[in-house]
Amino acid sequence: MDYKKLADRLFPEEYKPLSAYEEMYPPRALPKGAEVTRLAPSPTGFIHLGNLFVAVANERIAHRSGGVIYLRIEDTDLKRKVDGAVEAVIEAMSYFDIHFDEGAEIEAANEYAPYYQRQRAELYHAFAKSLVEKGRAYPCFCSEEELSALRETQTAEKKITGYYGEYAKCRNLSEEEIYRNLDAGKPYVLRLKSLGDPENKLKFRDEIKGEITVTENDQDVVILKSDGIPTYHFAHAIDDHFMRTTLVLRGEEWLSSLPVHIELFDALGFTRPRYGHNCSLMKQDGETRRKLSKRKDPELSLGFYRQEGYHPRAVKVYILTLLNSDFEDWYRKFPDKPLEEFPFKAAKMSKSGTLFDLDKLNDVAKNEFARLSAEEAFAFLNDWAQEFGSEAERAYFADREYMHKALALCMGTAGKKRRKDFATAKQAVGLLSYFFENPVSREAYRVAEAGKTAILRAFLQTYCAADDAQTWFGKVKAVAEQEGFASDMKEYKARPEDFKGSVSDVAEVLRIAVTGKANTPDLWTIMQILGEKETVKRISEQIS
Ligand code: GLU
């Protein structure tokens, strides 16, 4: 077979000598040990938590080593492409404080551009041509129908499915048959001619999973589709070589293709990057653990964290907790050090399924929220409300001083022991709503209707907004006594049958009337913030 002739027929265009591409994209001048990592999303418009996990790991590894992280857009599948998806990736990542040093839509240092795979056709074709010349790639004219018939036969015969060995029909076409097909204008894909033998097992060091055994590839995988667009496998080999990636850290779903990638790098004569395969994110679902699913679990989408108003730092801290098992201890020891100082390592990443637990994230989020200064909390909540809140919620932030009073009460003062009520902005704004609006719904009163009315009436008769906290509480106790409730808890506990309830029931009635909630921070302060008029109005309205 005259491979040179076939290559010229398949790729009539003259390309630069391959060495010219090596010079165009030379190895990077980086200090020893510096890692070049990347995020390589497809612009489908759906970026998920798995992307963020991989991005956090890649970013930490690159920047801790004095290296580079870049953004490459894997846009070979036009059907799945969504307008604005690239901007959305950049925006989502930057929300979580992940900034790329170079890549798609990033102005600085685009030496290894283009970063959109669609714009890299010349490279793919030049190297595909070289594989044909070397007899390592061939055109395959099999139709979809033929391929699915093949799959059915293989399945029936309990054989591994795919295009390989004796099943790789077009691998053995004669020169004459190939040219006849080409002359007839038959569509074809380009396949790798695999030389691997699945009997051969090789030891492979995965940066996350450690030593693993890999079976040699024998699949003649497609490298260029019939429209000349590369498959993931081929584009990965070309791009990670010419962008000089040192560490390919990607999702575990790619582990099964690793043998293909190893063979491709070898066939192309490229030095392989190192690989790390990040385990899938799991969720506890009753008794079982399952992968997070796009359909069932809103928390898989990164949009969820924005809409709910999780502080980006909280998400990051939780992700770091899951990515490196010693992060939690480190963070406990050095709560005030920048997160960047944590010695992040791929080798410390979990080897099998990571359990993602929203309750744990909420705990982390409450701690992180409590670390915000009053100004930071105001700005964070305000930003969330302006983007995602209702019209009424947006208006909460108009009176800065007033909101600060509510926040000071609900969060406590910085430096002192803080309350930890707020996990997300959405929940916090919800909890703050009674400072701004008369609650539309109220939690159930524990006290019977008549008792409730009597308490509210009696309180209104003695209430004076100028009272200090102690005087105010004295009056609440007096109301309790007057209405047959114990004003002293000890007394109540000793003889509960003698009372309708205790002063805490009385306070609860007042609390629900004013705030709608049975649990709030200090009620006297809430009444102070609301002011006399509003307090009296809310209580009066509850008197039926
Ligand atoms: N485009 C691939 C994906 O989104 C990239 C995988 C990789 O990081 O190599 O899954």
Side-chain angles (χ1 to χ4, degrees), residues 369 373-386 392-412 422 425-437 529-530:
F369 209 113
S373 70
E375 282 306 325
E376 285 166 341
F378 181 93
F380 174 61
L381 296 177
N382 187 18
D383 286 351
W384 177 85
Q386 301 315 320
E393 286 170 336
R394 292 200 292 277
Y396 294 176
F397 297 85
D399 184 343
R400 211 176 176 79
E401 204 184 319
Y402 185 83
M403 176 55 105
H404 270 297
K405 278 191 210 159
L407 280 177
L409 173 65
C410 294
M411 292 180 68
F422 297 162
K426 185 175 178 177
Q427 172 239 10
V429 169
L431 285 178
L432 288 162
S433 65
Y434 59 76
F435 288 102
F436 303 90
E437 297 174 77
I529 295 174
L530 287 172

Side-chain angles (χ1 to χ4, degrees), residues 38 40-42 74 232 250 253-254:
R38 83 295 194 277
S42 303
E74 309 218 317
Y232 169 78
R250 61 186 177 185
E253 65 275 18
W254 296 109

Side-chain angles (χ1 to χ4, degrees), residues 274-330:
R274 290 168 8 267
Y275 288 87
H277 291 91
N278 185 35
C279 58
S280 307
L281 296 176
M282 312 293 281
K283 175 177 176 138
Q284 191 76 36
D285 193 353
E287 293 291 289
T288 52
R289 278 184 183 194
R290 58 167 177 80
K291 273 193 199 167
L292 276 176
S293 110
K294 187 171 167 182
R295 201 167 42 84
K296 292 192 208 150
D297 308 311
E299 70 267 35
L300 185 60
S301 154
L302 288 189
F304 171 83
Y305 301 90
R306 300 284 296 270
Q307 281 149 26
E308 291 295 308
Y310 279 96
H311 195 280
R313 183 180 162 102
V315 177
K316 192 131 177 207
V317 164
Y318 183 50
I319 288 182
L320 286 169
T321 306
L322 292 178
L323 280 177
N324 268 194
S325 54
D326 59 343
F327 173 78
E328 214 170 344
D329 275 350
W330 179 89

Side-chain angles (χ1 to χ4, degrees), residues 161-366:
T161 54
Y163 207 82
Y164 61 98
E166 56 184 300
Y167 300 110
K169 201 175 98 194
C170 293
R171 185 180 170 127
N172 302 314
L173 291 184
S174 67
E175 211 160 356
E176 203 195 326
E177 284 169 301
I178 294 177
Y179 285 104
R180 197 178 328 118
N181 283 331
L182 290 174
D183 290 342
K186 249 190 155 186
Y188 65 89
V189 298
L190 201 69
R191 289 187 184 270
L192 169 75
K193 189 184 280 175
S194 171
L195 303 182
D197 176 354
E199 292 297 313
N200 293 339
K201 314 276 176 206
L202 47 133
K203 291 254 173 284
F204 189 87
R205 227 193 87 77
D206 185 278
E207 297 295 316
I208 297 171
K209 297 194 179 289
E211 190 159 293
I212 53 172
T213 305
V214 173
T215 302
E216 250 179 39
N217 173 57
D218 68 339
Q219 295 271 351
D220 285 359
V221 292
V222 175
I223 57 177
L224 291 184
K225 295 181 242 181
S226 56
D227 54 2
I229 301 291
T231 54
Y232 169 78
H233 308 306
F234 193 57
H236 152 55
I238 299 289
D239 293 345
D240 281 310
H241 175 67
F242 283 110
M243 293 180 179
R244 307 293 174 179
T245 309
T246 61
L247 175 63
V248 172
L249 203 133
R250 61 186 177 185
E252 190 171 57
E253 65 275 18
W254 296 109
L255 190 57
S256 57
S257 326
L258 182 63
V260 173
H261 303 155
I262 293 176
E263 184 169 17
L264 274 173
F265 272 87
D266 293 351
L268 289 161
F270 299 158
T271 310
R272 293 198 294 257
R274 290 168 8 267
Y275 288 87
H277 291 91
N278 185 35
C279 58
S280 307
L281 296 176
M282 312 293 281
K283 175 177 176 138
Q284 191 76 36
D285 193 353
E287 293 291 289
T288 52
R289 278 184 183 194
R290 58 167 177 80
K291 273 193 199 167
L292 276 176
S293 110
K294 187 171 167 182
R295 201 167 42 84
K296 292 192 208 150
D297 308 311
E299 70 267 35
L300 185 60
S301 154
L302 288 189
F304 171 83
Y305 301 90
R306 300 284 296 270
Q307 281 149 26
E308 291 295 308
Y310 279 96
H311 195 280
R313 183 180 162 102
V315 177
K316 192 131 177 207
V317 164
Y318 183 50
I319 288 182
L320 286 169
T321 306
L322 292 178
L323 280 177
N324 268 194
S325 54
D326 59 343
F327 173 78
E328 214 170 344
D329 275 350
W330 179 89
Y331 193 41
R332 208 173 291 125
K333 230 187 263 168
F334 308 111
D336 297 322
K337 277 197 183 181
L339 296 179
E340 290 70 45
E341 287 185 27
F342 170 68
F344 189 94
K345 292 220 167 63
K348 292 192 280 187
M349 286 167 72
S350 162
K351 292 185 183 14
S352 56
T354 298
L355 195 62
F356 188 85
D357 180 349
L358 268 185
D359 291 337
K360 292 232 175 76
L361 170 62
N362 286 335
D363 287 345
V364 171
K366 284 181 179 171

Side-chain angles (χ1 to χ4, degrees), residues 446-493:
R446 246 191 302 166
V447 169
E449 190 60 31
K452 172 199 123 188
T453 306
I455 290 170
L456 294 176
R457 277 220 173 91
F459 178 79
L460 278 187
Q461 266 161 20
T462 66
Y463 173 58
C464 169
D467 288 342
D468 62 17
Q470 222 180 342
T471 315
W472 176 89
F473 191 53
K475 286 184 173 176
V476 174
K477 280 179 163 178
V479 169
E481 271 169 35
Q482 182 189 321
E483 298 302 324
F485 292 78
S487 62
D488 181 276
M489 286 310 284
K490 257 194 239 138
E491 216 180 317
Y492 177 64
K493 283 200 180 116

